[in-house]
Every structure is written in structure tokens, then in C-alpha cells.
Amino acid sequence: MKSAVETLNPTRVRLTVEVPFEELKDSLDAAYKKINQQVTVKGFRKGKIPARVIDQRFGRGAVLEEAVNDALPKFYTDAVNEAELSVLGQPEVDITELKDGETLNFTAEVDIRPSIEIPDFSGIEVEVDAVEVTDEDVDKAVEELRERFASTAPVERAAEDGDVVTIDLQAKVDGEVLEDGVADGVSYTIGSGELLEGIDDAVKGVEAGGEATFTSELKGGSAAGKEAEVTVKVTQVAKRELPELDDEFAQLASEFDTIEELRADSRKRLENMKQYDQATQAQERVLEKLLELVEVPVPEKLLEDEINTRKHNLEHHQLGQMGLDLAKYLEIQGKSEEEFDAETKEAAVKGIKTQFVLDELVKQEKLNVNQEELTEHLMRRAASSGMSPDQFAQAVVEGGQVPLLVGEVARGKALAVVVEKATVKDTNGEIIDLDDEEDEDTTEASAEETPAESAEEKTEG
């Protein structure tokens, strides 16, 4: 077999492959054997039909077609390996010549990973928000904790903002009560915004035993998106009572004995959260600077597939769970379809470029992923997916996704290398020293946001 490579553009090549006919022998033998098992010819036992009889009865062309279909993947793979190409997706194959007993010639056009030059990135400088926790921040955190320990007590008066009401709901569309539009004994905090739009105004001023009717667009269920006439009956009004902010509350709500200790712990937790946010901000801004330094051509087909994948996931997973379609989502966001398409394309381009650049850095820096790093990453991914580590690991193994997780960890380590060499200052002008643990956590999170699965699968294809 002989092969040659023609570069069509920085992300696409054409392979020209010439195969001597004798190299098709194994595939021809397999073709005759396969046809033997599929057909019957009077006078011959199944599987024992001579090749010349198959040629006469069914045509040599059918045998050649079967043999070529069987052989092409191997010859294509050999040509790719010989040229040391990193291909993306499936090739477009064209058989240019097939002469029985002489030769098989074909071409294959396929996208490839572009060649990327990583420049010196040690001069990258970024600015991030300073870590500042005010007394007001601590007050807010303690108040939120206090809210969680609030109790309720029934009152005999009209419902007010902040009250917890027990209500029965009935929704009608076009005068008909919906089968899934009836709910009794629902507990609702007025002003929380957790139910239908318009319900707060409807129940405020209503006492236990009273009812009100309002119109609202249904968020989910069989009539999602439709206007409904909703009747709400208040069966109980309860006032929320907050505990006193004293040592007794600290002992109730935490492991601390005093309210001062509780506030100190809240301040420390807020500082840790802001430090994590600061590290995340640092790696995002360092990544943006790195991408500005590198010229990365993007394969058109890969970009098209990534855009379609992002749209599909949004429409059929995220929006579907919220009972929304794309049109309603765009209306809520105040965006046109053209703006949405442009933003989706921009995000897809950035994701692909990020993966290409970080993968190149993995090779350049000779980064490896050990079992401990992979296990830690798997645990984090399991937690974010809502699955147990064992369930998530089983799903990953059964789906053949282990290489994808390895790639995510490696890309996280690559970005950590860049962040470590960058100069990071906060808005106060102070140089920030991001420790290794923070770098690893945040950079891995960034790597997970790239189109790892789609691009990796296409590479292996």
C-alpha cells in the first residue's frame, strides 16, 4: 500500500491511497465466506459453495464490493498512522479506481487537529477582584442561617408579605380544569417567587377560608406556556418567627457556643468562598489571555457539530426540565434568535480553541495523569452529577468515557501550569499567590467546560 497526503487547509487533508490487489486477499476470502453463509445453491451444502459458482450466480462485483467495504477501514487507518495524522471525525471516502486483479485506489478527505505553536506565556498578567469580607456580608450570612431556623405560628388575620400560607390551587384553561392543575395543602411563603406569577398579589389580604382568582402563565405540566385562570383558597395563615441572635441560637444552628464564634466562622467561610471565586476568576482570565496569544484554526465540521450539540443540550435537557422551549427562553432573556446563534457560535469556538491549546500544552509540558488524580476528579464529577461515585464510575467505564475524564484532568493541569507562571494581581494592586489546591480545582472546572466529549470522540473516530 502506498499513500500520500495533500493539505487542503490548516484543518483538512486529502489522503490518496493505492492498494495492490494482492493485499485484498484476506478481505476477498472473508467476502466469499460471508456470502457462503447467506445464500443457498442447489447441489452444494451451505457454506461449501465454490468461489467460481458465487461469481457466476451472484456476480464478481458483489464480492468485490463486500471485500472493499471490509478492507477500506484498515487501509484508511494504516494511511492515517503512516502520516501521523490526528484526525477529527469520519472521512469522506471516494473510490477512484477498482480494477479486478490489479489495484484499488481511493481518496479520503478528513478534518485534522491543526498544528499549534504555543508562544511564551510567562508574561501574562491579569487582574482579579480583591478578597474582602465586610461586616454587612457576615450579617447577611448569619441572617440567612437564621431564616433557615425560623418557625411558624398560625395567626387569625389577613396574609401579609413573608407569611407562610397553606393553600389549595385549581387551574383552568379555556374553562376546563386541568387534570394536573389541582393541588391541595401547598405551603407557600409570600414573596418567595417559588410558585406562579401573580399569586403573591392574589393571596395578600386574604384570611384563612378566603379565596382569590388570578390569571397566570403555567410554567410546567400538560398546559405549560398557556394562560390559566387559577383559583387559590387559603386554608391557613402562619407568621414566620425568627430566633434571637444570641448564644442559644449559635448552639442550635452550629457547633459553636457563642454568637461571636458563629460570626467568626461565617467570616472565614465567606473568605474561603471569595478566595475560590478569585482563583476561578484568575484561571478564566489567564485562559482568555492565553487564547489571545495563540492562532487556532477551527475545523468547520467540528464547529458545526459543537454548535448543534450545545443547542440540542439546551433545548432538550436544560429547557425541557424547566418546561420551556427555545422561543420562550429567548423571550425571557430578551434576545433575538440571531443574537443567540452568534453567542452559541462564539462559545463553541472558544471551547474548541481551549481544548486544542490545552491539549497541545499537555504534550509540550509532558503532563501525565495518575490514578489518584483521576479518582479525585471522578469523585468531583460524581458529586456534581448527583450520582454516587460507584454509580458514576460504572457509567464512565461502561460508556467508554475513561479517556475523556483523563483528558479533562490533563487539560486542568495544563492550565494550572499557565496560571502558575502568570502574574495575578487583585484590584488593590496586591500580587495573588494561588496555592496548588485552588489552581487544580478551578482549572479542572474550566477544562470540563470545553467540548471535551465531542472533540475527543471525533479525534478517536
Side-chain angles (χ1 to χ4, degrees):
M1 184 195 81
K2 293 192 302 182
S3 63
V5 180
E6 176 188 357
T7 300
L8 303 178
N9 62 49
T11 63
R12 192 166 180 84
V13 297
R14 179 187 292 122
L15 287 163
T16 301
V17 184
E18 298 179 10
V19 183
F21 204 81
E22 56 267 23
E23 293 187 31
L24 284 172
K25 183 179 183 308
D26 289 344
S27 294
L28 279 169
D29 290 344
Y32 279 117
K33 185 175 182 180
K34 182 177 180 179
I35 293 173
N36 243 307
Q37 299 301 322
Q38 294 175 337
V39 302
T40 56
V41 175
K42 191 175 181 179
F44 297 95
R45 285 182 297 165
K46 195 173 186 67
K48 299 295 184 180
I49 308 169
R52 59 179 176 77
V53 174
I54 290 177
D55 289 345
Q56 291 170 355
R57 290 291 186 94
F58 306 102
R60 173 72 167 177
V63 179
L64 287 174
E65 181 180 355
E66 181 67 38
V68 169
N69 287 339
D70 174 74
L72 272 178
K74 176 185 179 301
F75 293 128
Y76 165 73
T77 300
D78 289 347
V80 166
N81 292 337
E82 185 178 293
E84 297 182 344
L85 298 174
S86 181
V87 299
L88 300 166
Q90 296 301 315
E92 295 179 7
V93 177
D94 181 28
I95 297 174
T96 55
E97 186 176 25
L98 176 58
K99 289 185 177 180
D100 194 359
E102 296 184 26
T103 187
L104 163 66
N105 297 335
F106 68 91
T107 62
E109 288 191 17
V110 66
D111 287 333
I112 60 169
R113 280 179 176 259
S115 177
I116 299 174
E117 292 287 335
I118 305 291
D120 178 22
F121 48 79
S122 60
I124 289 178
E125 292 188 13
V126 298
E127 184 181 74
V128 296
D129 295 335
V131 173
E132 295 175 344
V133 177
T134 65
D135 289 342
E136 288 75 15
D137 293 331
V138 176
D139 290 342
K140 182 179 177 182
V142 173
E143 188 63 27
E144 289 174 353
L145 181 62
R146 187 184 179 204
E147 290 277 350
R148 286 167 51 191
F149 284 85
S151 58
T152 59
V155 292
E156 295 183 4
R157 60 165 172 75
E160 300 174 356
D161 247 335
D163 285 344
V164 178
V165 290
T166 304
I167 54 178
D168 298 336
L169 294 166
Q170 184 186 80
K172 293 181 181 179
V173 173
D174 298 328
E176 296 290 329
V177 177
L178 300 172
E179 287 186 13
D180 56 354
V182 178
D184 294 334
V186 177
S187 181
Y188 175 66
T189 301
I190 300 175
S192 66
E194 294 174 352
L195 281 178
L196 298 168
E197 186 176 343
I199 193 170
D200 290 337
D201 291 336
V203 297
K204 277 191 290 188
V206 178
E207 297 183 19
E211 64 178 48
T213 301
F214 64 100
T215 301
S216 183
E217 183 179 303
L218 299 178
K219 295 180 180 179
S222 60
K226 293 185 178 181
E227 289 286 327
E229 182 185 82
V230 182
T231 299
V232 53
K233 181 178 180 180
V234 178
T235 60
Q236 178 180 278
V237 178
K239 180 182 179 181
R240 299 179 77 250
E241 296 179 345
L242 298 174
E244 291 293 327
L245 285 177
D246 51 21
D247 293 347
E248 185 177 340
F249 168 70
Q251 295 163 20
L252 170 69
S254 71
E255 69 271 30
F256 302 106
D257 293 327
T258 67
I259 192 67
E260 287 76 15
E261 290 175 322
L262 174 59
R263 288 180 61 84
D265 180 70
S266 295
R267 183 180 294 275
K268 183 61 179 176
R269 289 176 183 272
L270 288 171
E271 287 174 350
N272 290 340
M273 288 173 58
K274 291 201 173 188
Q275 284 171 351
Y276 180 86
D277 291 342
Q278 185 186 66
T280 301
Q281 192 178 64
Q283 59 88 28
E284 288 174 350
R285 294 182 178 180
V286 167
L287 176 60
E288 288 174 1
K289 291 283 189 180
L290 177 64
L291 294 181
E292 289 173 6
L293 294 175
V294 187
E295 186 67 30
V296 186
V298 176
E300 291 183 10
K301 183 65 168 60
L302 179 61
L303 177 58
E304 179 185 340
D305 290 346
E306 181 60 26
I307 290 172
N308 290 337
T309 297
R310 286 172 181 257
K311 285 184 175 180
H312 178 85
N313 288 341
L314 175 66
E315 290 187 63
H316 298 279
H317 296 294
Q318 295 162 268
L319 297 184
Q321 292 176 355
M322 296 186 288
L324 298 175
D325 58 17
L326 183 58
K328 186 62 180 177
Y329 169 75
L330 293 179
E331 180 184 334
I332 294 171
Q333 294 291 313
K335 294 177 184 175
S336 67
E337 192 169 341
E338 291 74 19
E339 289 173 326
F340 169 74
D341 287 343
E343 289 178 4
T344 303
K345 181 178 180 179
E346 182 181 357
V349 168
K350 181 180 179 181
I352 292 171
K353 285 185 175 181
T354 296
Q355 180 169 326
F356 284 171
V357 170
L358 294 183
D359 283 347
E360 185 63 31
L361 270 170
V362 169
K363 290 193 295 182
Q364 181 176 299
E365 299 291 328
K366 296 180 174 60
L367 300 174
N368 295 310
V369 176
N370 61 41
Q371 186 61 48
E372 182 180 357
E373 292 168 332
L374 182 59
T375 300
E376 288 177 358
H377 182 62
L378 186 147
M379 299 280 281
R380 281 191 290 270
R381 287 292 303 273
S384 64
S385 71
M387 302 170 67
S388 72
D390 288 344
Q391 289 174 325
F392 187 79
Q394 183 177 354
V396 166
V397 172
E398 291 178 352
Q401 306 293 297
V402 173
L404 303 185
L405 287 189
V406 172
E408 289 174 2
V409 179
R411 283 186 282 276
K413 295 179 70 172
L415 187 50
V417 170
V418 185
V419 173
E420 185 179 351
K421 293 183 179 180
T423 299
V424 181
K425 294 181 180 180
D426 67 16
T427 48
N428 295 328
E430 298 290 330
I431 293 179
I432 306 301
D433 182 16
L434 301 169
D435 64 46
D436 292 341
E437 183 176 351
E438 285 174 334
D439 283 349
E440 183 179 341
D441 287 346
T442 55
T443 51
E444 283 193 16
S446 171
E448 290 166 25
E449 293 171 5
T450 66
E453 295 187 8
S454 56
E456 196 76 23
E457 288 170 355
K458 291 177 176 60
T459 302
E460 295 180 355

